[in-house]
Amino acid sequence: MAYLACIGSRKVNGVAELHSELVQTTILKDFVDFEGISKFGNVTNGITPRRWLDQCNSELSALISQTLKLDKAVWLKDLTKLEGLLSFTEDKAFRAEWAAIKHRNKERLAHHVQVTLGLTVNTNAMFDVQIKRLHEYKRQTLNILGVIHRYLTLKNMTPAQRKKVNNRVVFFAGKAAPAYYIAKLTIRLIVNVARIINADPDTKDYLTLYFLPDYSVSLAEVLIPASDISQHISTAGTEASGTSNMKFCLNGGLLLGTVDGANIEIAEEVGENNVFFFGHLTPAVEDLRHQHLYHPVPIEEKCPALAHVLNQVSAGLFGDGQVYEPLLNTIRQGDYYLITDDFDSCKTVTFKSPHIAALAMVDEAYSDKEEWIKKSIRTTAKMGKFSSDRAINEYAESYWNIEKTPVQKD
């Protein structure tokens, strides 16, 4: 299908710098050689700030307009004007109002959960969110296994030790394709893990988990403004761009992710000290997959922490363990999406840090609330590049060869 599309197209775009490079050097390399490099380019995706900030987070939009002394119609059309917020990161009153808006957005999400699921959410905890269609490459599996690891770690702590832990509320949402059995098993595991840990008197004050059903744009508009940290953790080289990462960051949520898709360009804009990267890099992926197939190492030897998590699931800690064997075997046998490599492994030249270590870095950073708020403000301020207006202008100039036509107001 991609080959036919390439033949029938005048121009080809990879929608983020990394993926555009991969398209030209690997996926469609023969077409580049045959048709020339000029047919291939890059326009990174964008999002509309009118929906993904002004509509879904009207209080933050109003604060931005008030602080910048600009009508929202001005900065929504030129999102680079958000950089004016950088000079207010040291303003204590501004930071307090920024944090208060975030908390009210958390309360709005908690109200939604109460109304739809009848469950009470701790709005004083950190909100950790992953909302995407369910797919193995997006690695909701890695995330839920990390949640289980955190739960088991908490269970082994003394009450005094637990009181020192950063309280975390984890949200999942998303839909699986009707015939995608492994994706549906992942949802089943998330729901059953939530059922156990949310009822555990030892840990429920420190860790809770929710899978929100019937994911939609409207639900995303409630989830995204409430996020403290969002996870974009695809196997390196598999995510073309992603746009939910842009939506979260535009609303002041920090990013935890792999060096993949638009995560890379977001980090270039906001600064790597304001994001949390982990995992193997794209050049290492194919070699690792080859090792998994032809020189496999038992998980118990390679990643004991993950082996313990998988064994607990198999043993029935979260319901009938046999049900999950097809899902767990995708990790034990072949592990195409590198769960065993990125979960909790040793640091190498082609590796940032493991997922578990990245989560610990998030906890440490969140403990300094004032610095966290500054990171949040800086993140929003540097998201100007990711407006869909910029993307459309680049398409118009480089792909469509059309010029702007001003529309006169009546």
Side-chain angles (χ1 to χ4, degrees):
M1 186 172 69
Y3 294 164
L4 287 173
C6 185
I7 292 168
S9 300
R10 190 177 64 84
K11 296 278 283 186
V12 176
N13 173 35
V15 304
E17 288 177 3
L18 173 65
H19 198 68
S20 293
E21 180 185 343
L22 292 174
V23 164
Q24 295 170 33
T25 58
T26 60
I27 303 167
L28 297 176
K29 183 179 183 299
D30 291 342
F31 289 89
V32 174
D33 294 339
F34 183 71
E35 300 194 54
I37 193 67
S38 61
K39 181 169 181 171
F40 299 83
N42 177 68
V43 176
T44 298
N45 282 339
I47 57 170
T48 170
R50 288 160 286 279
R51 175 181 291 276
W52 295 113
L53 178 51
D54 186 49
Q55 179 171 304
C56 74
N57 200 348
S58 57
E59 278 196 84
L60 187 61
S61 176
L63 176 63
I64 290 169
S65 296
Q66 176 189 329
T67 303
L68 297 179
K69 295 181 170 55
L70 291 172
D71 188 276
K72 69 180 182 180
V74 175
W75 61 263
L76 285 172
K77 289 180 181 177
D78 181 5
L79 207 59
T80 60
K81 292 191 183 299
L82 289 179
E83 289 193 24
L85 296 174
L86 292 172
S87 59
F88 294 90
T89 55
E90 299 301 325
D91 184 325
K92 192 171 183 179
F94 177 71
R95 292 202 306 271
E97 183 56 28
W98 188 278
I101 291 170
K102 177 65 71 176
H103 191 76
R104 287 194 287 274
N105 285 326
K106 288 182 173 184
E107 290 175 337
R108 179 176 63 165
L109 174 56
H111 176 72
H112 173 84
V113 174
Q114 176 66 50
V115 169
T116 57
L117 301 177
L119 302 172
T120 302
V121 177
N122 175 14
T123 56
N124 293 316
M126 181 175 71
F127 279 20
D128 177 344
V129 183
Q130 187 183 24
I131 50 173
K132 301 172 184 294
R133 68 185 173 91
L134 269 289
H135 198 288
E136 288 164 274
Y137 89 84
K138 291 180 181 288
R139 300 203 297 189
Q140 285 92 348
T141 308
L142 175 62
N143 192 358
I144 188 58
L145 295 175
V147 172
I148 296 170
H149 178 271
R150 190 179 186 89
Y151 170 65
L152 297 174
T153 302
L154 284 167
K155 286 291 286 182
N156 286 329
M157 289 180 176
T158 65
Q161 289 172 323
R162 289 182 196 129
K163 289 180 180 178
K164 298 177 183 178
V165 170
N166 175 39
N167 297 348
R168 187 183 293 248
V169 179
V170 181
F171 294 94
F172 285 85
K175 293 179 178 177
Y180 198 168
Y181 180 61
I182 294 299
K184 290 189 172 186
L185 266 187
T186 304
I187 295 175
R188 183 169 182 172
L189 178 61
I190 294 167
V191 170
N192 280 325
V193 171
R195 179 176 57 84
I196 296 299
I197 70 174
N198 292 355
D200 192 319
D202 293 334
T203 62
K204 65 181 182 180
D205 292 335
Y206 310 102
L207 176 66
T208 47
L209 170 65
Y210 304 93
F211 184 90
L212 303 189
D214 198 21
Y215 182 57
S216 64
V217 168
S218 297
L219 179 54
E221 289 183 70
V222 178
L223 274 159
I224 288 168
S227 163
D228 290 306
I229 191 82
S230 61
Q231 299 205 31
H232 310 273
I233 57 178
S234 54
T235 308
T238 61
E239 185 69 82
S241 169
T243 54
S244 66
N245 44 9
M246 304 171 191
K247 295 165 189 172
F248 280 104
C249 291
L250 183 59
N251 284 272
L254 272 56
L255 184 152
L256 168 66
T258 47
V259 185
D260 196 26
N263 290 354
I264 300 168
E265 292 166 70
I266 290 173
E268 288 172 354
E269 294 296 310
V270 308
E272 280 205 32
N273 58 329
N274 294 311
V275 301
F276 302 89
F277 273 147
F278 77 96
H280 283 84
L281 307 183
T282 302
V285 170
E286 288 307 317
D287 284 343
L288 288 167
R289 286 172 173 165
H290 185 272
Q291 290 173 26
H292 292 175
L293 285 175
Y294 299 105
H295 308 285
V297 177
I299 296 181
E300 287 75 11
E301 180 182 334
K302 182 178 182 180
C303 190
L306 177 59
H308 180 57
V309 169
L310 298 181
N311 291 340
Q312 289 296 308
V313 175
S314 293
L317 182 59
F318 306 105
D320 183 2
Q322 284 297 115
V323 169
Y324 302 112
E325 286 306 302
L327 170 62
L328 302 183
N329 285 339
T330 65
I331 302 169
R332 290 173 173 144
Q333 302 167 13
D335 189 22
Y336 188 78
Y337 295 104
L338 312 190
I339 303 293
T340 57
D341 300 282
D342 284 353
F343 185 82
D344 188 20
S345 304
C346 296
K347 194 167 184 178
T348 67
V349 175
T350 56
F351 190 56
K352 297 295 283 186
S353 65
H355 187 233
I356 296 303
L359 291 169
M361 288 190 287
V362 170
D363 286 332
E364 183 179 357
Y366 193 72
S367 66
D368 185 346
K369 295 296 194 297
E370 288 300 314
E371 183 58 32
W372 185 275
I373 296 166
K374 291 178 185 179
K375 288 177 180 288
S376 173
I377 296 167
R378 292 186 200 113
T379 297
T380 295
K382 296 296 289 184
M383 290 301 291
K385 172 181 176 178
F386 301 100
S387 171
S388 56
D389 297 345
R390 183 272 311 155
I392 290 167
N393 282 332
E394 287 186 11
Y395 276 120
E397 293 170 7
S398 304
Y399 284 60
W400 304 330
N401 293 327
I402 58 175
E403 296 180 358
K404 293 180 182 179
T405 302
V407 177
Q408 298 297 324
K409 291 184 178 181
D410 294 334

